[in-house]
Amino acid sequence: MRRGLKFVPVALLLLAVLELTVFVLVGRAVGFGVAVLLVFAASLLGLVLLRREGMRAWRGFRAAAQAGRPPGPEVTDGLVGLLGALLLALPGMFSGVVGLLLLVPPLRRVAGGGVRRATERRVSSMVAGDLFGPRRVRVYRGASQPTHTPTSPPPSAPAAPPTAVEPGPAIEGEIVDR
């Protein structure tokens, strides 16, 4: 079993307790009938948005594929929209609020960036490049470590220029999104 999967049952139990707590608090504040109507209306809205977001994600993916662009941005935007609509469709006030927040464009872009980073960590760099397109890489040259072998002159003595390219130290860098 993967490390993160062992916490799923506990997380689902905590989510159910949180949903019940929020429902009871809202029910006490505005009345039980109004709270039930709010949950029902949010679920209906989520079902309508689920279809709309699914079609929107599919159209974005097809347009990117036909234009020869990497489909990653459209796919992540579509996944975040589908997740928001699904959370809104689930009966519950807390999940409904989280779902609504994921449908707000600025928060959707932030969540999409998180999905992109998580995807890039889990797949090879070649697949990530195919999904999200080429990335700019900024390279900083670090302090080089002189290599000294017993057959070469000590580092303090002037060395003759090498005739062949010698492997140098590793260069650290960072990937910068455009």
Side-chain angles (χ1 to χ4, degrees):
M1 184 183 255
R2 294 183 68 173
R3 280 186 295 163
L5 292 180
K6 65 182 175 183
F7 296 113
V8 169
V10 175
L12 288 175
L13 180 66
L14 290 175
L15 180 64
V17 169
L18 179 66
E19 290 285 6
L20 284 171
T21 304
V22 170
F23 182 77
V24 167
L25 292 175
V26 170
R28 284 185 179 171
V30 297
F32 178 74
V34 174
V36 169
L37 284 176
L38 282 173
V39 170
F40 184 70
S43 293
L44 283 177
L45 178 64
L47 289 173
V48 170
L49 288 176
L50 196 59
R51 183 173 190 273
R52 187 192 80 157
E53 290 296 323
M55 293 304 293
R56 182 174 174 243
W58 178 247
R59 280 193 300 268
F61 173 76
R62 276 194 2 201
Q66 287 175 350
R69 293 188 326 263
E74 286 83 5
V75 170
T76 55
D77 185 57
L79 284 176
V80 171
L82 282 170
L83 178 65
L86 180 65
L87 286 174
L88 193 57
L90 290 175
M93 293 196 171
F94 179 75
S95 62
V97 169
V98 172
L100 274 176
L101 290 176
L102 286 176
L103 294 172
V104 175
L107 297 176
R108 190 176 187 157
R109 280 190 294 275
V110 170
V115 169
R116 178 179 175 169
R117 284 187 297 277
T119 303
E120 287 175 342
R121 277 195 309 268
R122 286 177 174 74
V123 299
S124 70
S125 60
M126 185 183 301
V127 173
D130 288 343
L131 277 176
F132 301 109
R135 293 170 283 169
R136 279 189 353 198
V137 177
R138 186 179 302 159
V139 178
Y140 300 102
R141 184 171 292 279
S144 62
Q145 299 292 328
T147 57
H148 175 68
T149 59
T151 58
S152 65
S156 60
T163 57
V165 177
E166 295 179 7
I171 299 174
E172 293 186 28
E174 64 177 319
I175 296 176
V176 179
D177 284 340
R178 289 185 262 173

